[in-house]
Amino acid sequence: MQRTAPDPAPDPPVGLPVLPDLAAHLSAAAGRSEPEPPGGSPSLRTAACGYWQRRGLDTTPGHTLAAPGGPALLLALYAAAEGAVVLPRPCSEWYAPPARLLGRPVHLAPVPAESGGMPDPFALLETVRRARLRGEDPRVLVLSVADDPTGTCPAPEQLHEVCEAAAGEGLWVVSDESHRDLLHDPHDTVVLSPAEMLPDEVVVLTDLRATLVPASWPAAIARFPDTERGAALRAAALGTLAALRTPLPGPLACAVTHALGEPDAVRTRTAAAARLHATLTAALHGTLTAAGAVCRPPHSGSHLYADLEPLRRALVSHGIGQSAELERELAPWSARGGHRFGDDPRALRVRLGSEALLGADRELRGRALEASNPLELPPVADSLTALSRALAALTAPADG
């Protein structure tokens, strides 16, 4: 039987402009010829410790690792932990592929109604039970305290319940905290790391491209528990990274080390990016809900996840009955269908991102970061208006 090739993923939107301070440090290190060791040099891992300590997690360099991007680090963690992987449904699109590359079973447990980022605790337990009945051995749960694709943050009490359930079943919890610094209202949204709740059971993973370094700079860090079991997991993950032979490039490692120190320029940029994403995702949320979509209000990051199932009848009359078809219709706004996040391909769910409203114009992106109200910039306003009209056309009953 001939297999149909999967739809290629849409190109990601252009990232925010590179911070001149970071570009200068990368340029200054361009002549470095010595390679970065697997897992990161002591200086880089020491800088990572400072990064976590400012977030309430005491860390020593011997309990950290660095790698060229979150997917590479997650692959090393899956290889080290062995066994099957449990993910929330929906979840970030880079969680499942490393497990499948290793031939590890992936099980999806639905998120609760209140937020994404973690499975419902009862759904988690049932997912683990069913996997074991089939002879599989779930060993890892990946969750996110500031979720992509939904842009939501699970409540600390819910997060604690899920982490306790996972630990009770003998699962490692990998906490993706890549977007935790992009809270839209830090005074209104409480984010706690699972490592503060169950320090012996949690590995913290941060893809630095989400906030700290440019989107084109692959860099991620992980923090392991200060236990014998945590040390064994780290050693196994480091062995995988060494076998891959793809460490961080030396000049990039120097710039990332500087960024992890969070000088004023980096802190200012992170705060500006959070404000920009907050304004733009709120506008996207208003546009989508005005069209009749169901969408959790975003509280972090640059994405939100819309459910257009209430509009199915009208959408089907326009030939849109699956998430891939919805993705194609909303492609100008960097839409990604729910099937890319482990969701049911037949469900009319889609992720949209705030950066799509800025187009590819680097100058516009810089002005948006500095604008008191980026919605007043004509290209942004035009993109929102065009989205509103497109949704109106797609959800109006087709003639005849």
Side-chain angles (χ1 to χ4, degrees):
M1 179 181 295
Q2 185 177 6
R3 294 187 178 181
T4 302
D7 289 340
D11 291 335
V14 179
L16 294 174
V18 176
L19 189 64
D21 180 51
L22 295 183
H25 274 80
L26 181 63
S27 177
R32 172 180 166 175
S33 59
E34 66 272 17
E36 186 77 1
S41 65
S43 59
L44 190 156
R45 290 184 284 110
T46 298
C49 293
Y51 171 88
W52 277 309
Q53 285 164 352
R54 289 188 292 275
R55 288 152 182 81
L57 296 174
D58 288 338
T59 311
T60 59
H63 297 101
T64 68
L65 287 177
L73 201 42
L74 196 55
L75 183 145
L77 286 169
Y78 290 160
E82 303 182 339
V85 174
V86 182
L87 304 175
R89 181 200 292 265
C91 67
S92 186
E93 58 190 317
W94 56 275
Y95 291 174
R100 294 189 172 120
L101 283 172
L102 292 168
R104 304 289 163 75
V106 174
H107 300 279
L108 299 167
V111 301
E114 294 84 359
S115 74
M118 64 174 196
D120 175 89
F122 296 105
L124 169 64
L125 293 173
E126 180 63 12
T127 299
V128 172
R129 184 187 71 83
R130 291 183 178 181
R132 287 177 176 158
L133 285 175
R134 291 195 292 268
E136 296 171 357
D137 184 21
R139 300 293 298 274
V140 178
L141 166 67
V142 183
L143 51 77
S144 177
V145 299
D147 182 45
D148 166 27
T150 67
T152 60
C153 301
E157 56 272 18
Q158 290 180 308
L159 191 62
H160 191 271
E161 188 176 357
V162 170
C163 290
E164 283 196 325
E169 295 296 326
L171 275 63
W172 279 110
V173 175
V174 176
S175 176
D176 175 16
E177 303 186 7
S178 302
H179 292 86
R180 67 170 293 170
D181 292 338
L182 289 180
L183 296 183
H184 298 170
D185 186 351
H187 302 291
D188 180 62
T189 305
V190 177
V191 170
L192 292 179
S193 171
E196 298 178 69
M197 303 173 182
L198 297 175
D200 294 347
E201 314 294 337
V202 177
V203 178
V204 178
L205 172 64
T206 303
D207 193 318
L208 301 174
R209 290 174 291 185
T211 53
L212 212 62
V213 301
S216 59
W217 293 14
I221 52 176
R223 175 191 184 273
F224 293 80
D226 184 7
T227 64
E228 184 176 342
R229 184 166 169 254
L233 185 72
R234 180 189 179 276
L238 177 57
T240 298
L241 291 174
L244 290 173
R245 302 181 67 85
T246 54
L248 280 168
L252 181 60
C254 292
V256 170
T257 299
H258 174 73
L260 283 166
E262 296 182 285
D264 288 344
V266 171
R267 287 174 177 265
T268 299
R269 165 57 68 84
T270 301
R275 288 193 300 270
L276 175 62
H277 293 318
T279 300
L280 298 183
T281 54
L284 281 172
H285 181 265
T287 301
L288 288 160
T289 54
V294 175
C295 185
R296 297 180 183 94
H299 295 287
S300 69
S302 57
H303 300 112
L304 74 172
Y305 197 63
D307 186 350
L308 277 70
E309 279 295 318
L311 305 167
R312 172 172 285 278
R313 187 171 182 177
L315 288 167
V316 167
S317 72
H318 290 274
I320 304 170
Q322 299 190 54
S323 63
E325 294 161 349
L326 186 60
E327 175 184 279
R328 287 193 289 270
E329 289 293 335
L330 299 179
W333 296 275
S334 296
R336 272 178 157 79
H339 59 289
R340 301 193 186 279
F341 309 102
D343 221 335
D344 185 346
R346 298 165 296 181
L348 292 170
R349 301 189 187 107
V350 66
R351 187 194 76 173
L352 296 180
S354 59
E355 290 186 3
L357 299 177
L358 301 174
D361 187 281
R362 183 180 301 177
E363 181 182 352
L364 171 62
R365 289 166 175 267
R367 284 190 287 132
L369 278 166
E370 299 172 357
S372 58
N373 184 5
L375 300 180
E376 294 179 350
L377 295 171
V380 175
D382 291 346
S383 183
L384 283 167
T385 299
L387 174 60
S388 180
R389 289 173 177 167
L391 290 169
L394 291 174
T395 54
D399 294 337

